[in-house]
Amino acid sequence: MLVMRYSGLRIRDVVTLRKDHIRGGKLFLRTAKTGTDVFCPLPPDVLSALKAIDAKGKYYFWSGTSKPKSAVGDYQPALRTLFNLAKTPRVHAHLFRHTFATELLTAGNTLETVAALLGHGSTKITERSYSHWVKGRQEKLEEAVKNSWAQLGTVEGSA
């Protein structure tokens, strides 16, 4: 969950994460869905958690013997059980990706930056899903509303 939360990767990319994809505190991989390269630094807590995993072979969370789809299928019910036990039944793995993206945009990062980190082939995909979180865009929309108040003679802050 930490890797999904702080990298924005899809569950398949996390489940099949190879140890050699983490170098110098950064994650480097080609996403399974789009084939896009992703480069992302990881927080020290995530790196420590990965280091603590006693994984045999070249993967952190997968043996490498089954098909990736089967491995993801094994993790989905386990995560669902965990979320239910935590009394967060509407949570699912992909929400970690959304959290990653919205926090980046709320912090003022560009759609281009977020698209690259998510492994989107185009900013249009990112814009379609997250445009309402773009800080600069929201500020411009709020300014447009306030400007309309001035044109209509409405005083800001009145009820």
Side-chain angles (χ1 to χ4, degrees):
M1 286 191 296
L2 286 173
V3 176
M4 286 186 287
R5 164 65 183 84
Y6 290 101
S7 69
L9 291 178
R10 294 175 186 90
I11 190 169
R12 178 178 171 160
D13 291 322
V14 174
V15 168
T16 60
L17 183 65
R18 292 192 332 234
K19 294 176 185 175
D20 66 348
H21 286 157
I22 309 293
R23 295 187 302 272
K26 298 173 187 163
L27 181 141
F28 301 90
L29 64 80
R30 182 165 292 210
T31 63
K33 183 174 180 179
T34 63
T36 306
D37 291 333
V38 171
F39 306 99
C40 181
L42 294 173
D45 290 347
V46 177
L47 295 168
S48 294
L50 286 171
K51 195 173 197 174
I53 295 172
D54 185 27
K56 309 293 187 241
K58 63 182 180 178
Y59 300 96
Y60 285 105
F61 309 107
W62 180 43
S63 66
T65 57
S66 65
K67 293 187 182 278
K69 185 175 182 177
S70 297
V72 170
D74 291 340
Y75 276 91
Q76 293 285 18
L79 287 172
R80 197 169 17 261
T81 298
L82 180 64
F83 298 142
N84 286 334
L85 288 171
K87 300 194 184 329
T88 56
R90 293 180 59 202
V91 174
H92 51 86
H94 207 71
L95 286 180
F96 293 108
R97 183 172 171 82
H98 293 312
T99 298
F100 177 76
T102 55
E103 283 186 349
L104 287 168
L105 291 167
T106 302
N109 290 285
T110 65
L111 280 171
E112 291 79 12
T113 297
V114 176
L117 289 167
L118 292 175
H120 287 165
S122 161
T123 58
K124 294 290 182 201
I125 297 163
T126 313
E127 184 175 21
R128 195 169 44 239
S129 298
Y130 301 106
S131 65
H132 56 286
W133 289 102
V134 178
K135 188 176 182 180
R137 180 177 183 267
Q138 188 59 39
E139 289 169 354
K140 286 178 186 172
L141 292 171
E142 289 174 20
E143 192 59 35
V145 171
K146 290 177 182 178
N147 286 339
S148 73
W149 293 345
Q151 290 176 7
L152 296 171
T154 306
V155 178
E156 182 178 341
S158 65

mmCIF file of all heavy atoms in Angstrom, residues 22-43:
data_model
loop_
_atom_site.group_PDB
_atom_site.id
_atom_site.type_symbol
_atom_site.label_atom_id
_atom_site.label_comp_id
_atom_site.label_asym_id
_atom_site.label_seq_id
_atom_site.Cartn_x
_atom_site.Cartn_y
_atom_site.Cartn_z
ATOM 1 N N ILE A 22 14.285 -0.243 -7.920
ATOM 2 C CA ILE A 22 14.560 0.774 -6.900
ATOM 3 C C ILE A 22 16.072 0.966 -6.847
ATOM 4 O O ILE A 22 16.824 0.048 -6.510
ATOM 5 C CB ILE A 22 14.050 0.326 -5.501
ATOM 6 C CG1 ILE A 22 12.592 -0.121 -5.559
ATOM 7 C CG2 ILE A 22 14.284 1.428 -4.478
ATOM 8 C CD1 ILE A 22 11.586 0.948 -5.855
ATOM 9 N N ARG A 23 16.484 2.181 -7.208
ATOM 10 C CA ARG A 23 17.918 2.493 -7.196
ATOM 11 C C ARG A 23 18.112 3.912 -6.695
ATOM 12 O O ARG A 23 17.461 4.842 -7.172
ATOM 13 C CB ARG A 23 18.502 2.370 -8.604
ATOM 14 C CG ARG A 23 18.462 0.969 -9.164
ATOM 15 C CD ARG A 23 19.211 0.839 -10.493
ATOM 16 N NE ARG A 23 18.732 1.722 -11.551
ATOM 17 C CZ ARG A 23 17.748 1.439 -12.398
ATOM 18 N NH1 ARG A 23 17.100 0.301 -12.299
ATOM 19 N NH2 ARG A 23 17.410 2.290 -13.342
ATOM 20 N N GLY A 24 18.993 4.056 -5.727
ATOM 21 C CA GLY A 24 19.315 5.394 -5.223
ATOM 22 C C GLY A 24 18.114 6.118 -4.642
ATOM 23 O O GLY A 24 18.010 7.338 -4.772
ATOM 24 N N GLY A 25 17.199 5.369 -4.035
ATOM 25 C CA GLY A 25 16.023 5.985 -3.433
ATOM 26 C C GLY A 25 14.933 6.349 -4.424
ATOM 27 O O GLY A 25 13.976 7.040 -4.088
ATOM 28 N N LYS A 26 15.092 5.884 -5.673
ATOM 29 C CA LYS A 26 14.117 6.207 -6.715
ATOM 30 C C LYS A 26 13.598 4.945 -7.371
ATOM 31 O O LYS A 26 14.287 3.939 -7.452
ATOM 32 C CB LYS A 26 14.752 7.098 -7.776
ATOM 33 C CG LYS A 26 15.222 8.422 -7.239
ATOM 34 C CD LYS A 26 15.986 9.193 -8.276
ATOM 35 C CE LYS A 26 16.581 10.425 -7.622
ATOM 36 N NZ LYS A 26 17.642 11.008 -8.416
ATOM 37 N N LEU A 27 12.387 5.050 -7.860
ATOM 38 C CA LEU A 27 11.731 3.971 -8.569
ATOM 39 C C LEU A 27 11.849 4.243 -10.063
ATOM 40 O O LEU A 27 11.554 5.358 -10.508
ATOM 41 C CB LEU A 27 10.261 3.942 -8.137
ATOM 42 C CG LEU A 27 9.384 2.879 -8.737
ATOM 43 C CD1 LEU A 27 8.457 2.367 -7.666
ATOM 44 C CD2 LEU A 27 8.599 3.430 -9.892
ATOM 45 N N PHE A 28 12.305 3.253 -10.816
ATOM 46 C CA PHE A 28 12.424 3.350 -12.269
ATOM 47 C C PHE A 28 11.755 2.129 -12.866
ATOM 48 O O PHE A 28 12.175 1.007 -12.594
ATOM 49 C CB PHE A 28 13.896 3.329 -12.710
ATOM 50 C CG PHE A 28 14.746 4.421 -12.151
ATOM 51 C CD1 PHE A 28 15.420 4.248 -10.957
ATOM 52 C CD2 PHE A 28 14.867 5.627 -12.819
ATOM 53 C CE1 PHE A 28 16.217 5.250 -10.434
ATOM 54 C CE2 PHE A 28 15.657 6.637 -12.307
ATOM 55 C CZ PHE A 28 16.332 6.453 -11.112
ATOM 56 N N LEU A 29 10.722 2.327 -13.678
ATOM 57 C CA LEU A 29 10.106 1.181 -14.351
ATOM 58 C C LEU A 29 9.293 1.620 -15.549
ATOM 59 O O LEU A 29 8.999 2.794 -15.723
ATOM 60 C CB LEU A 29 9.244 0.351 -13.396
ATOM 61 C CG LEU A 29 7.999 0.956 -12.759
ATOM 62 C CD1 LEU A 29 6.815 0.957 -13.697
ATOM 63 C CD2 LEU A 29 7.646 0.157 -11.526
ATOM 64 N N ARG A 30 8.967 0.644 -16.354
ATOM 65 C CA ARG A 30 8.078 0.849 -17.500
ATOM 66 C C ARG A 30 6.735 0.262 -17.098
ATOM 67 O O ARG A 30 6.645 -0.903 -16.724
ATOM 68 C CB ARG A 30 8.618 0.135 -18.726
ATOM 69 C CG ARG A 30 7.760 0.353 -19.966
ATOM 70 C CD ARG A 30 8.506 -0.043 -21.171
ATOM 71 N NE ARG A 30 9.584 0.927 -21.321
ATOM 72 C CZ ARG A 30 10.114 1.303 -22.465
ATOM 73 N NH1 ARG A 30 9.706 0.770 -23.573
ATOM 74 N NH2 ARG A 30 11.074 2.183 -22.508
ATOM 75 N N THR A 31 5.670 1.073 -17.161
ATOM 76 C CA THR A 31 4.361 0.610 -16.700
ATOM 77 C C THR A 31 3.827 -0.485 -17.615
ATOM 78 O O THR A 31 4.048 -0.472 -18.822
ATOM 79 C CB THR A 31 3.342 1.760 -16.628
ATOM 80 O OG1 THR A 31 3.138 2.285 -17.937
ATOM 81 C CG2 THR A 31 3.804 2.851 -15.689
ATOM 82 N N ALA A 32 3.123 -1.431 -16.996
ATOM 83 C CA ALA A 32 2.577 -2.555 -17.751
ATOM 84 C C ALA A 32 1.455 -2.121 -18.684
ATOM 85 O O ALA A 32 1.345 -2.591 -19.810
ATOM 86 C CB ALA A 32 2.069 -3.632 -16.790
ATOM 87 N N LYS A 33 0.613 -1.197 -18.238
ATOM 88 C CA LYS A 33 -0.567 -0.823 -19.026
ATOM 89 C C LYS A 33 -0.214 0.003 -20.254
ATOM 90 O O LYS A 33 -0.698 -0.273 -21.352
ATOM 91 C CB LYS A 33 -1.561 -0.057 -18.150
ATOM 92 C CG LYS A 33 -2.840 0.295 -18.880
ATOM 93 C CD LYS A 33 -3.865 0.919 -17.968
ATOM 94 C CE LYS A 33 -5.134 1.271 -18.723
ATOM 95 N NZ LYS A 33 -6.141 1.857 -17.845
ATOM 96 N N THR A 34 0.628 1.024 -20.090
ATOM 97 C CA THR A 34 0.898 1.938 -21.204
ATOM 98 C C THR A 34 2.310 1.813 -21.766
ATOM 99 O O THR A 34 2.607 2.394 -22.808
ATOM 100 C CB THR A 34 0.686 3.405 -20.771
ATOM 101 O OG1 THR A 34 1.619 3.713 -19.735
ATOM 102 C CG2 THR A 34 -0.740 3.642 -20.301
ATOM 103 N N GLY A 35 3.194 1.100 -21.058
ATOM 104 C CA GLY A 35 4.576 0.987 -21.519
ATOM 105 C C GLY A 35 5.358 2.275 -21.345
ATOM 106 O O GLY A 35 6.421 2.450 -21.933
ATOM 107 N N THR A 36 4.844 3.187 -20.522
ATOM 108 C CA THR A 36 5.495 4.471 -20.291
ATOM 109 C C THR A 36 6.508 4.338 -19.158
ATOM 110 O O THR A 36 6.245 3.682 -18.156
ATOM 111 C CB THR A 36 4.440 5.539 -19.905
ATOM 112 O OG1 THR A 36 3.430 5.552 -20.910
ATOM 113 C CG2 THR A 36 5.053 6.911 -19.785
ATOM 114 N N ASP A 37 7.659 4.969 -19.325
ATOM 115 C CA ASP A 37 8.662 4.964 -18.267
ATOM 116 C C ASP A 37 8.245 5.892 -17.144
ATOM 117 O O ASP A 37 7.767 6.999 -17.396
ATOM 118 C CB ASP A 37 10.019 5.409 -18.804
ATOM 119 C CG ASP A 37 10.634 4.387 -19.750
ATOM 120 O OD1 ASP A 37 10.323 3.191 -19.608
ATOM 121 O OD2 ASP A 37 11.427 4.790 -20.616
ATOM 122 N N VAL A 38 8.432 5.428 -15.913
ATOM 123 C CA VAL A 38 8.117 6.223 -14.727
ATOM 124 C C VAL A 38 9.366 6.297 -13.862
ATOM 125 O O VAL A 38 10.024 5.287 -13.610
ATOM 126 C CB VAL A 38 6.951 5.599 -13.923
ATOM 127 C CG1 VAL A 38 6.760 6.298 -12.590
ATOM 128 C CG2 VAL A 38 5.665 5.645 -14.727
ATOM 129 N N PHE A 39 9.692 7.513 -13.434
ATOM 130 C CA PHE A 39 10.807 7.755 -12.532
ATOM 131 C C PHE A 39 10.244 8.548 -11.360
ATOM 132 O O PHE A 39 9.684 9.619 -11.565
ATOM 133 C CB PHE A 39 11.893 8.585 -13.219
ATOM 134 C CG PHE A 39 12.356 8.002 -14.522
ATOM 135 C CD1 PHE A 39 11.864 8.469 -15.726
ATOM 136 C CD2 PHE A 39 13.289 6.970 -14.535
ATOM 137 C CE1 PHE A 39 12.285 7.930 -16.933
ATOM 138 C CE2 PHE A 39 13.711 6.424 -15.736
ATOM 139 C CZ PHE A 39 13.206 6.907 -16.936
ATOM 140 N N CYS A 40 10.371 8.014 -10.158
ATOM 141 C CA CYS A 40 9.752 8.667 -9.009
ATOM 142 C C CYS A 40 10.576 8.422 -7.745
ATOM 143 O O CYS A 40 10.863 7.265 -7.413
ATOM 144 C CB CYS A 40 8.335 8.106 -8.822
ATOM 145 S SG CYS A 40 7.426 8.837 -7.460
ATOM 146 N N PRO A 41 10.959 9.492 -7.043
ATOM 147 C CA PRO A 41 11.623 9.280 -5.757
ATOM 148 C C PRO A 41 10.618 8.723 -4.756
ATOM 149 O O PRO A 41 9.424 8.984 -4.854
ATOM 150 C CB PRO A 41 12.075 10.684 -5.356
ATOM 151 C CG PRO A 41 11.160 11.603 -6.067
ATOM 152 C CD PRO A 41 10.770 10.910 -7.348
ATOM 153 N N LEU A 42 11.106 7.931 -3.824
ATOM 154 C CA LEU A 42 10.246 7.369 -2.788
ATOM 155 C C LEU A 42 10.691 7.893 -1.421
ATOM 156 O O LEU A 42 11.886 8.039 -1.180
ATOM 157 C CB LEU A 42 10.311 5.839 -2.799
ATOM 158 C CG LEU A 42 9.741 5.170 -4.042
ATOM 159 C CD1 LEU A 42 10.018 3.667 -4.012
ATOM 160 C CD2 LEU A 42 8.248 5.435 -4.172
ATOM 161 N N PRO A 43 9.731 8.146 -0.532
ATOM 162 C CA PRO A 43 10.083 8.633 0.806
ATOM 163 C C PRO A 43 10.894 7.579 1.578
ATOM 164 O O PRO A 43 10.751 6.375 1.332
ATOM 165 C CB PRO A 43 8.739 8.860 1.486
ATOM 166 C CG PRO A 43 7.720 8.844 0.416
ATOM 167 C CD PRO A 43 8.288 8.044 -0.721
#
